[in-house]
Amino acid sequence: MTAPNRLTAGLDVVLRLLRNACLVVASICLVVLIASFGWLVFGRYVLNATPTWVEQLSLLLVGYITFLGAAAGVHDDGHLGVSFLRDGFGPRVSSVLRSVSDLIMTGFGLVMFTASTELVRFGWSSQLPMLNLPEGMRAIPAATCGLLVALFCGVRALRRMLGDAPATDAFLLENL
Amino acid sequence: MGLVVLLGSFAATLLLGVPVAFAMGISAALTFWFEGLPLLMTFQRTISGISAFSLLAIPFFIFAGELMLHGGIARKLVNFAGTLVGHVRGGLGSVNILSSMLFGGISGSAIADISALGSLLVPAMKERGYRADYAVNVTVTSSIAGIVIPPSHNMIIFAIAAGGGVSISKLFLAGVVPGILMCLCLAIAAYVLAIRHNYPSETFPGWRAVLVAAAESLPGLVTAIIIIGGVLSGVFTVTESGAFGALYALALTGIVYRSLSREDFRLAVVNSVRTTAMVMILIGFAASFAYLLALYQVPAQLSDTLLSLTQNKILILLMINLMLLVLGMIMDMAALILICTPIFLPIARSLGMEPEQFGIMLLVNLGLGLCTPPVGTCLFVGCVVGRIRIEEAVRGIWPFYIAIAGALLLVTYVPAVSLGLPGLLGL
Amino acid sequence: AEEWRGWNIHVEEYPVSMAWSALAELVEERTSGELTAKIFHSGVLGSQPDAIEQLRLGVIDFGVFNLGPMGQAVPEANVTLLPFIFRDVPQMYALMDGDLGEAIGEGMRERGIVPVGWYAAGARSFYNNEAPIESPEDVAGMKVRVMNNDLFVGMIEAMGGNATPMDFAEVYQSLRTGVVDGAENNPPSYESTNHFEVAKYYSLTEHLIIPECLCISLKSWDALTPEQQEIVTQAGQESATYQRELWDEREAASLETLGSAGVEINEIADKTAFQEAMAPVYDAYTADNPDMAPLVEMIRSAE
Ligand code: NA
Ligand code: NA
């Protein structure tokens, strides 16, 4: 194994851990979401007393599921996209175009991270109704997603420059 | 000028292969920056775009579908469909379509439909001598019926995009006949091809077997009755119905059937997270994108242009359908519902079309887009399940496209197809 | 010349929207076309809380906001959300045009918002499908839909009812099927949403009299010349007077429609019992927000 390959192999492990962490947190959020809605239905129809926090908590949880799950999707290259043009030019051009696309995503991820962090700060003094939590908490998963997207795509572009193409294409087949 | 930046950067990033959701986010961010507006607006719109209360039904529907898949309910449905229609010529094709109709009545997710039924039926069909592309095409195109047969999370996205004034109950009912009609059109196409390829038929197992299989699949079908019944009777809200349906499916597979292992449960949760995130991030970034379209008053301008070309209702609806078909080829359903509804719904309304009929037309049209290259989620997943390449699949898909297009024309020009059932029930 | 972007949640024909278009015309005329406005109606630029954020960021230049959602960003605005704090609508006008409006406006300016006129949104009253509400005891045991806010939940609980925060879109169906027994709103909303079809007792408790505010983004405000600021302030106040007239007409028309649709409307001559029942709500509020106590006192001691 060459030195750069050892480096990227190490990075791979770290990135996969981050991806898994995203999925674990998002999965817990989904389970909590379903459980709290079960509690809402039970409270409303059986106890005749609606728990007042469920609606707002659910909206918060969906944000965490969406952005963390989306970040994991970027790691796995699982989002929908148009690849016919990029891949129509043969492997060399395609590799360059993939790197360009990854670099754009890296830049966007950084923008998403800084702008969402600003949203967290901006919303920290406002209150989410019924939960007594700062409104800024809604933007935390977006900031996290931005940072992770930058990281995942940045490393992918870096690996290609080091001549060590990432094997993301085969992913969907083996994970269905 | 800002509009040029928005659309230009969107097209450029899309063609570079940036995922559709992010291409919308990137072009929106670039446009906000170009206009001298704060960049964080992009993400404020995104976050608030996914924070609509009725969108909460989406994870519930998706989770219910995943439980059906991993908890063995899908297998019981296929078995039931097999006893019922397996004996016609090319029987497994009809079984596939009928299964989709039943499964679609439970899950609102076409992708869950394909992975659930495709993984059961495509190998079985190949084994009985059906061509792989035929098996994949039947699976992929019939999954679209699940989008218009209630419940369907895409109907909820449409109701949100329409900005109130659309009754979910009426929309649910309006989808029933078009969904069955689509399945009939597809079954005809499948039958004609079966005769041509001389595909086999299965032996009829007798009415006793039909009844046994029906009884076995009944508890699974009750999930659909809970969700749809809850919404139609108004006892539950859509979101509550979705949650209740998911909890019922969980109890059924986990406690009654004991067919859901811990690993199955984990898979169902993680897959639901992935699918939910994929749909919701599209909705979020599409909200940013749509905000800018509204700021540039694109909907009003586009409808003025369209109406200045012609006043003929038939022609206008045809043009709308053609535009939607083109857009559906390159973009995904959820995003297009959010972007196209504010543009085309007012035009349709000015022609005297009810919003629910328009909604079903939109869903059938964009559903067709899910089966077409270059961006066709369903086609893509179907090819993965069937282990064939996209080029292989689309070579023989034309008869199925024609079948869906036929159903689309009926939905577009015959209001009774969608509005008849809700009308009968007084909605 | 400068074109301002305006945000409006209502449809074009609503009293707020009409007053507002009048304001835009006034400003355009008096600044000789230097300052024009493009108003986006029907909430196409987002929900109320989102738009408040956009206003503070300067993405939109002006808008009309209810002080309910405003309270999430501007704590001073929350005092107007205390149930039964205002005796009646005229008292609310007098206070908002005077010291109270000054104090809340101060809080808004600190957060990047300049108020230039206080609009009317009427008084919210209870409606239900069981029986007229005459006293707080009538609410006991009743499931009442309220807006997502601790104060409104506290208000129902103080009367022994079950508060049910719920998305507005779900209220009609929930009233019909008995998921909730009642809800509350001002007459035009109660009428235009057809909620009266499924809840025919309308009791004029007037428990919430929440003002609306014509607001300018501080960023856009600072870009104006002093003369232009003067013109905008003047026009803002004129449009408020006009809007209050339009509101009264609209409200009267709604009450008439409701009456002829067979809705049973009852007035409540003496609200003392309701006001006394709210003691725990006020105690909890002032305990959590001690710095707001002077504002509460200012309103309660007003004529
Ligand atoms: Na469905
Ligand atoms: Na497509």
Side-chain angles (χ1 to χ4, degrees):
Chain A
M1 211 182 237
T2 59
N5 282 5
R6 245 196 319 271
L7 172 73
T8 53
L11 268 176
D12 257 5
V13 175
V14 176
L15 297 192
R16 212 167 312 128
L17 277 175
L18 284 171
R19 192 269 317 249
N20 290 345
C22 280
L23 286 178
V24 168
V25 175
S27 296
I28 292 172
C29 287
L30 181 68
V31 172
V32 173
L33 176 71
I34 290 163
S36 62
F37 242 83
W39 177 240
L40 174 91
V41 172
F42 187 73
R44 183 170 287 172
Y45 298 96
V46 183
L47 303 181
N48 235 341
T50 306
T52 54
W53 46 269
V54 172
E55 285 200 6
Q56 294 298 315
L57 178 72
S58 309
L59 292 178
L60 194 62
L61 288 172
V62 162
Y64 282 78
I65 296 171
T66 302
F67 286 108
L68 297 179
V74 168
H75 176 278
D76 302 340
D77 206 9
H79 288 280
L80 305 162
V82 191
S83 53
F84 71 97
L85 191 77
R86 179 179 73 187
D87 297 339
F89 287 115
R92 279 193 55 187
V93 179
S94 163
S95 165
V96 173
L97 292 181
R98 273 170 195 274
S99 293
V100 174
S101 147
D102 277 335
L103 287 174
I104 292 176
M105 287 283 281
T106 309
F108 178 69
L110 290 175
V111 169
M112 186 170 177
F113 170 66
T114 46
S116 304
T117 312
E118 215 178 313
L119 270 178
V120 175
R121 260 208 314 270
F122 194 76
W124 208 255
S125 57
S126 298
Q127 291 278 309
L128 280 176
M130 309 312 304
L131 291 178
N132 283 323
L133 292 173
E135 151 110 46
M137 284 193 65
R138 288 170 70 200
I140 290 178
T144 315
C145 177
L147 192 62
L148 289 172
V149 165
L151 195 63
F152 293 149
C153 295
V155 169
R156 215 146 57 201
L158 184 75
R159 284 183 63 170
R160 237 178 254 113
M161 276 177 236
L162 294 175
D164 172 29
T168 35
D169 286 354
F171 181 81
L172 205 74
L173 268 174
E174 72 199 34
N175 274 274
L176 262 164
Chain B
M1 194 53 211
L3 188 59
V4 176
V5 173
L6 182 72
L7 299 178
S9 59
F10 174 65
T13 45
L14 194 67
L15 290 176
L16 259 175
V18 173
V20 184
F22 287 87
M24 285 192 289
I26 289 166
S27 52
L30 204 63
T31 311
F32 277 115
W33 173 79
F34 175 82
E35 292 284 353
L37 298 171
L39 266 173
L40 57 82
M41 273 299 293
T42 320
F43 308 100
Q44 191 225 35
R45 298 318 308 145
T46 307
I47 293 169
S48 101
I50 59 169
S51 304
F53 187 69
S54 38
L55 286 177
L56 285 172
I58 292 179
F60 298 144
F61 288 175
I62 290 175
F63 186 57
E66 286 289 339
L67 286 171
M68 301 280 128
L69 167 58
H70 295 284
I73 294 177
R75 187 176 293 276
K76 291 185 168 63
L77 291 180
V78 171
N79 191 23
F80 171 49
T83 58
L84 212 57
V85 293
H87 57 281
V88 299
R89 176 61 75 89
L92 289 185
S94 309
V95 171
N96 195 326
I97 294 166
L98 181 60
S99 303
S100 268
M101 221 169 91
L102 297 174
F103 192 87
I106 300 171
S107 134
S109 161
I111 295 174
D113 182 310
I114 298 171
S115 28
L117 303 177
S119 50
L120 291 174
L121 280 165
V122 173
M125 287 173 81
K126 282 199 216 164
E127 211 166 283
R128 293 282 281 139
Y130 293 75
R131 277 169 48 174
D133 66 315
Y134 178 86
V136 166
N137 289 337
V138 170
T139 308
V140 167
T141 49
S142 64
S143 76
I144 304 305
I147 294 168
V148 278
I149 295 176
S152 156
H153 68 247
N154 286 298
M155 287 181 180
I156 293 163
I157 300 176
F158 169 72
I160 289 176
V166 173
S167 146
I168 293 263
S169 310
K170 191 170 171 187
L171 197 58
F172 270 18
L173 283 175
V176 173
V177 173
I180 295 172
L181 195 71
M182 270 169 84
C183 288
L184 277 176
C185 292
L186 287 168
I188 293 170
Y191 183 70
V192 170
L193 284 174
I195 291 176
R196 195 140 136 229
H197 296 302
N198 201 18
Y199 287 145
S201 53
E202 316 300 309
T203 46
F204 183 63
W207 284 105
R208 211 189 141 78
V210 174
L211 282 178
V212 170
E216 275 185 342
S217 64
L218 191 66
L221 287 170
V222 167
T223 319
I225 297 169
I226 289 175
I227 299 180
I228 303 166
V231 173
L232 293 188
S233 66
V235 173
F236 296 129
T237 64
V238 184
T239 322
E240 285 170 357
S241 301
F244 202 63
L247 287 167
Y248 169 82
L250 187 61
L252 183 66
T253 53
I255 299 168
V256 178
Y257 288 164
R258 294 182 170 279
S259 55
L260 189 77
S261 68
R262 272 176 64 164
E263 177 59 16
D264 289 333
F265 177 72
R266 195 191 64 83
L267 261 180
V269 171
V270 173
N271 282 351
S272 304
V273 163
R274 285 178 193 277
T275 312
T276 303
M278 215 160 88
V279 174
M280 296 290 281
I281 198 79
L282 266 166
I283 293 175
F285 283 131
S288 269
F289 196 84
Y291 177 89
L292 287 162
L293 288 182
L295 207 61
Y296 294 129
Q297 297 173 283
V298 172
Q301 281 173 12
L302 208 66
S303 77
D304 284 351
T305 315
L306 201 58
L307 291 172
S308 71
L309 287 176
T310 172
Q311 297 285 331
N312 183 318
K313 185 176 171 178
I314 294 174
L315 275 179
I316 292 178
L317 289 177
L318 194 68
M319 283 196 285
I320 292 179
N321 269 309
L322 288 174
M323 280 191 255
L324 287 172
L325 280 175
V326 172
L327 290 170
M329 287 175 73
I330 54 161
M331 271 178 81
D332 198 58
M333 191 163 207
L336 279 177
I337 296 174
L338 285 167
I339 291 174
C340 293
T341 303
I343 297 179
F344 294 122
L345 179 59
I347 304 176
R349 275 191 140 151
S350 74
L351 298 173
M353 197 179 206
E354 297 238 359
E356 288 82 7
Q357 187 195 352
F358 175 82
I360 301 300
M361 180 189 98
L362 183 76
L363 294 182
V364 174
N365 188 313
L366 298 181
L368 185 53
L370 290 176
C371 318
T372 64
V375 180
T377 322
C378 289
L379 181 65
F380 191 40
V381 177
C383 289
V384 173
V385 171
R387 314 257 156 201
I388 59 170
R389 285 182 306 138
I390 293 177
E391 301 89 280
E392 268 178 85
V394 292
R395 215 169 291 140
I397 205 171
W398 292 106
F400 299 103
Y401 285 164
I402 292 168
I404 298 182
L408 177 61
L409 285 176
L410 283 171
V411 170
T412 306
Y413 292 114
V414 187
V417 170
S418 43
L419 301 176
L421 184 64
L424 269 179
L425 295 171
L427 273 172
Chain C
E2 181 73 25
E3 191 184 51
W4 274 10
R5 273 190 286 266
W7 170 93
N8 180 20
I9 195 84
H10 300 291
V11 295
E12 217 170 328
E13 299 80 24
Y14 211 66
V16 168
S17 324
M18 287 157 68
W20 208 6
S21 303
L23 163 99
E25 274 168 36
L26 276 181
V27 170
E28 182 171 350
E29 191 187 300
R30 291 178 190 168
T31 59
S32 330
E34 277 301 301
L35 189 58
T36 56
K38 163 97 204 97
I39 301 171
F40 293 82
H41 298 286
S42 310
V44 292
L45 297 188
S47 70
Q48 192 132 217
D50 291 340
I52 291 172
E53 220 167 79
Q54 293 171 26
L55 187 78
R56 295 173 65 193
L57 292 164
V59 176
I60 53 175
D61 303 285
F62 68 120
V64 173
F65 298 94
N66 190 279
L67 289 196
M70 186 64 79
Q72 286 171 36
V74 184
E76 288 84 357
N78 275 329
V79 289
T80 63
L81 311 189
L82 282 162
F84 297 101
I85 186 120
F86 297 112
R87 201 180 325 113
D88 49 28
V89 175
Q91 190 205 24
M92 182 276 278
Y93 288 156
L95 281 161
M96 291 309 290
D97 290 336
D99 292 346
L100 180 64
E102 199 65 43
I104 295 174
E106 195 60 43
M108 291 167 69
R109 277 171 176 275
E110 275 171 34
R111 288 159 188 91
I113 301 166
V114 182
V116 292
W118 303 105
Y119 280 20
R124 297 172 75 98
S125 296
F126 289 112
Y127 48 87
N128 77 89
N129 50 26
E130 288 183 348
I133 294 169
E134 310 270 4
S135 70
E137 290 76 44
D138 297 332
V139 180
M142 200 179 260
K143 287 173 282 183
V144 184
R145 183 267 171 179
V146 289
M147 294 180 281
N148 264 309
N149 190 309
D150 294 315
L151 287 171
F152 308 151
V153 170
M155 164 179 78
I156 300 298
E157 284 171 353
M159 295 186 280
N162 289 323
T164 309
M166 177 185 282
D167 203 52
F168 188 63
E170 295 178 345
V171 177
Y172 183 93
Q173 197 63 280
S174 302
L175 282 165
R176 195 172 71 92
T177 55
V179 171
V180 293
D181 308 311
E184 43 88 64
N185 219 320
N186 56 44
S189 298
Y190 173 51
E191 180 250 322
S192 63
T193 53
N194 293 332
H195 286 183
F196 66 89
E197 296 170 1
V198 282
K200 65 167 198 146
Y201 299 103
Y202 194 43
S203 310
L204 299 180
T205 49
E206 304 194 321
H207 53 278
L208 288 174
I209 302 174
I210 307 175
E212 303 214 330
C213 172
L214 175 60
C215 301
I216 315 275
S217 165
L218 188 60
K219 284 191 177 168
S220 319
W221 181 257
D222 286 341
L224 296 180
T225 65
E227 296 77 43
Q228 288 175 326
Q229 291 182 346
E230 186 53 40
I231 291 169
V232 172
T233 308
Q234 182 64 32
Q237 267 147 27
E238 283 171 38
S239 77
T241 313
Y242 178 44
Q243 191 268 350
R244 291 173 192 181
E245 281 166 25
L246 287 173
W247 181 271
D248 288 346
E249 282 169 27
R250 172 72 195 252
E251 195 167 84
S254 292
L255 284 170
E256 204 182 300
T257 312
L258 291 169
S260 49
V263 172
E264 210 171 295
I265 302 172
N266 65 299
E267 296 201 20
I268 290 153
D270 183 11
K271 297 189 187 118
T272 321
F274 288 95
Q275 278 153 353
E276 281 166 1
M278 292 303 123
V281 181
Y282 279 70
D283 291 346
Y285 177 73
T286 39
D288 287 345
N289 309 277
D291 43 333
M292 294 300 148
L295 273 188
V296 177
E297 198 38 50
M298 177 202 286
I299 305 174
R300 301 208 105 176
S301 61
E303 287 295 294

